[in-house]
Amino acid sequence: MNAIISASELATALTGDAPPVLLDVRWQLTLATASGEPPFDGRAAHAAGHIPGAVYVDLDRELASGPGPRGRHPLPDLAVFGRAMRRAGVSSTRPVVVYDGGQGWAAARAWWLLRWTGHPDVRVLDGGLPAWEGPLETAVPAPAEGDFEPVPSATGLLDADGAAALARSGVLLDARAGERYRGEVEPIDPVGGHIPGAVSAPTNENVGPDGRFLPAGELAARFKELGAVEGTEVGVYCGSGVSAAHEALALAVAGVPAALYVGSWSEWSADPARPVAVGPDPQ
C-alpha cells in the first residue's frame, strides 16, 4: 500500500463504497516573536473550511504529550490518542487519510502514530489541503464513533540511547535544516549541532516546489546516497519528532523502513551529558 494519496485519488475514494475517514491536522510550528503575532490556530482554520467530512485533530494535545524532559512533542498518552481517533471515526477496518495545510509534517505525525499503533491502512494527502481541488465545507462533522484501539509496535521507535547506537551501527538521518544540523543557528533548543554520527537529510529536499513528494525512484536514490542501502537499519530525528515523521513518510514512499526518534533534538540537547557534534560532517 502506498503511504500517500493524490487529491484526485482521494476525490474518487470519497465517492466509493468504503470512503476513508478524513483527519485534518493543520498545525504550524510557532516561535515567540517580538511582534506579538498570535499563534496559528488549526481549529479555527478547520472551522473556516475543510474537506467535507474531515475531523480536526489537535497535534499538540492529541498527537503529543505536553513538552518536558522527553522533548517538545513526546509521545501522546495512548488513552488520549485512542479517544481522539475513535471520536474522529477511526476504526481498524476502515482506511484513513490525513492532511494538513500543505507542509506535510503534522499529517505525517498522525500517519506515523496510527501505523505504529497498529492501523493497517493510513495514507497522507500528497500536497495537503492546497492540492485539493474539490469543495470545502464549514459544517462540524459528527462521525460515528470508531473502534480503533492503539497497540504500540515493538519496533519502529527509538529512544536517545537507541538513536546514538544507530548513528554508529546503521544510518541516523537528521531531518532538520542544514544550518541547524551544522550548529550555525538554533532558534529553539539550548544547543546547536547534531547527534554524533547522524547524517544531514533536510526534509524539504524530499518534496518539489509544489510541496508534493518527489517520485519514489528519486527518493530511493536520494536516501541510497545518504547511506540507506538494503540491509542497513535506518532511523530519523528532527527537532521534536514532527518533521522527522515526514522524513519517515518519504522513506516509506521510497520503500525504506525507518524508526523514529520521537524525542529528537529537543530531548537530546536538554541533557548536558549527551555529546554534541557541529559542522557539516557526521563525526
Side-chain angles (χ1 to χ4, degrees), residues 161-254:
D161 290 341
L166 184 58
R168 299 303 183 190
S169 65
V171 175
L172 181 65
L173 301 177
D174 185 321
R176 298 172 301 158
E179 58 269 24
R180 290 185 69 191
Y181 170 89
R182 295 188 295 271
E184 298 166 357
V185 299
E186 182 44 65
I188 310 172
D189 294 310
V191 179
H194 59 270
I195 296 174
V199 177
S200 181
T203 295
N204 62 4
E205 295 181 16
N206 296 324
V207 299
D210 59 0
R212 302 182 194 186
F213 281 104
L214 299 176
E218 292 184 26
L219 288 172
R222 180 190 185 219
F223 291 125
K224 182 177 181 180
E225 187 174 339
L226 293 170
V229 297
E230 187 175 354
T232 300
E233 190 176 356
V234 179
V236 61
Y237 76 98
C238 59
S240 66
V242 179
S243 67
H246 188 269
E247 186 102 292
L249 177 59
L251 284 156
V253 172

Side-chain angles (χ1 to χ4, degrees), residues 22-243:
L22 280 177
L23 305 181
D24 180 338
V25 198
R26 275 178 277 181
W27 170 90
Q28 290 180 12
L29 177 64
T30 301
L31 301 177
T33 61
S35 64
E37 295 179 7
F40 175 78
D41 188 339
R43 192 175 298 278
H46 177 266
H50 50 267
I51 298 176
V55 176
Y56 178 71
V57 176
D58 190 317
L59 184 148
D60 290 315
R61 293 177 176 83
E62 296 171 322
L63 304 182
S65 298
R70 301 300 299 272
R72 281 191 306 280
H73 292 102
L75 287 173
D77 179 279
L78 288 182
V80 172
F81 173 64
R83 284 196 298 270
M85 294 299 98
R86 292 189 294 275
R87 170 186 59 83
V90 175
S91 294
S92 57
T93 57
R94 188 174 172 191
V96 177
V97 172
V98 192
Y99 72 89
D100 58 23
Q103 189 177 41
W105 294 4
R109 172 73 175 222
W111 166 84
W112 183 85
L113 276 168
L114 281 165
R115 295 291 292 145
W116 179 65
T117 56
H119 198 287
D121 191 349
V122 190
R123 287 181 285 178
V124 169
L125 176 59
D126 195 15
L129 188 60
W132 177 253
E133 297 180 350
L136 300 178
E137 70 174 14
T138 57
V140 178
E145 183 85 359
D147 64 11
F148 180 68
E149 294 287 347
V151 178
S153 171
T155 61
L157 178 66
L158 294 171
D159 60 11
D161 290 341
L166 184 58
R168 299 303 183 190
S169 65
V171 175
L172 181 65
L173 301 177
D174 185 321
R176 298 172 301 158
E179 58 269 24
R180 290 185 69 191
Y181 170 89
R182 295 188 295 271
E184 298 166 357
V185 299
E186 182 44 65
I188 310 172
D189 294 310
V191 179
H194 59 270
I195 296 174
V199 177
S200 181
T203 295
N204 62 4
E205 295 181 16
N206 296 324
V207 299
D210 59 0
R212 302 182 194 186
F213 281 104
L214 299 176
E218 292 184 26
L219 288 172
R222 180 190 185 219
F223 291 125
K224 182 177 181 180
E225 187 174 339
L226 293 170
V229 297
E230 187 175 354
T232 300
E233 190 176 356
V234 179
V236 61
Y237 76 98
C238 59
S240 66
V242 179
S243 67

